[in-house]
Amino acid sequence: MKVRLKLFAVARQLAGDDTIELDVPNDATVAVVRQELVRQIPELVPMGDQLRFAVNADYAGNAVAVSAADEIACIPPVSGG
Amino acid sequence: MVDLTDCPIDVTKLLSDVGSTQAGAVVLFLGTTREFTNGRRTTTLDYEAYNDMAERKLAALEQQARARWELVECGIVHRLGTVPLGEPSVAIAVSSAHRATAFEAGRWLIDTLKSEVPIWKREHWADGTSEWVHPT
């Protein structure tokens, strides 16, 4: 299935767009999405697990399943305030 | 009460919003744009947010603070866009009957905001370069 990720900050800068479409298996989890994202944007690899993901505006760990209907976001280490 | 704004933060209004005759203490924290960091000079900071999630997380932070401490009022405002030197990007105000609570809750709120809320800053340096800040 195709999933669409919202990109922010350095991830958006590297991708050159505020969203990216990834092709993942139908039963993909956040871990699989992470793997595919860093395959396409290898500069994100050094962040490791400090690169977080959100599914439907909530932080989601690697085991969380995703669907094409979910709002998925890539959350690089935050720096508010 | 929580807010994301593209405008300069109205600190006077924030203090007025958290004021109460039930409070003996009001603590205000402002995070402001600093000029020098490790010898490098900043010209401005730019902030962006995953707006929907940032608002949810800010509201959750307020709820968690209210559950943990006995607060009278709590206000969190984060500014987005360009924040010039010396101006606040974030303001947190809490009021409580006694000062220990207000100080503790205020400290926790800014510390937790900085680790949990999906807002990012981009540092613009005086030498013309800029970079997203991603603490690891």
Side-chain angles (χ1 to χ4, degrees), chain A residues 9 12 59 71 77 79 81, chain B residues 47-48 50 78 116 121 133-134:
Chain A
R12 187 184 70 247
Y59 285 116
E71 177 170 291
S79 53
Chain B
Y47 287 86
E48 77 165 16
Y50 177 6
H78 203 300
E116 291 304 305
K121 63 173 154 259
V133 176
H134 294 299

Side-chain angles (χ1 to χ4, degrees), chain B:
Chain B
M1 60 212 94
V2 302
D3 196 23
L4 292 176
T5 179
D6 293 322
C7 302
I9 295 177
D10 189 339
V11 176
T12 304
K13 179 178 187 306
L14 178 63
L15 287 175
S16 167
D17 286 346
V18 303
S20 165
T21 56
Q22 292 179 50
V26 179
V27 166
L28 170 71
F29 171 82
L30 298 180
T32 55
T33 300
R34 186 182 62 246
E35 190 169 9
F36 289 98
T37 300
N38 297 328
R40 295 184 78 180
R41 190 159 74 84
T42 297
T43 54
T44 61
L45 294 177
D46 276 350
Y47 287 86
E48 77 165 16
Y50 177 6
N51 284 43
D52 290 346
M53 186 174 168
E55 284 176 1
R56 285 177 64 155
K57 290 301 261 184
L58 290 175
L61 248 58
E62 177 181 356
Q63 289 320 305
Q64 286 167 51
R66 285 180 179 279
R68 190 163 161 180
W69 291 280
E70 204 158 329
L71 302 181
V72 174
E73 279 301 345
C74 174
I76 310 171
V77 182
H78 203 300
R79 181 176 174 184
L80 302 177
T82 300
V83 181
L85 294 178
E87 294 189 30
S89 58
V90 63
I92 295 176
V94 290
S95 59
S96 59
H98 301 282
R99 69 185 182 281
T101 294
F103 276 117
E104 283 175 32
R107 178 69 197 250
W108 180 85
L109 281 167
I110 184 59
D111 286 353
T112 311
L113 182 156
K114 287 171 83 64
S115 70
E116 291 304 305
V117 179
I119 298 175
W120 299 269
K121 63 173 154 259
R122 183 174 197 156
E123 184 97 52
H124 291 269
W125 302 108
D127 67 5
T129 61
S130 69
E131 63 205 27
W132 286 103
V133 176
H134 294 299
T136 49

Side-chain angles (χ1 to χ4, degrees), chain A residues 40-76:
Chain A
Q40 297 213 23
I41 312 179
E43 296 93 330
L44 295 176
V45 168
M47 281 182 185
D49 278 347
Q50 293 188 306
L51 183 70
R52 290 191 279 183
F53 289 83
V55 175
N56 300 323
D58 263 320
Y59 285 116
N62 284 331
V64 171
V66 298
S67 75
D70 287 323
E71 177 170 291
I72 309 171
C74 168
I75 313 278

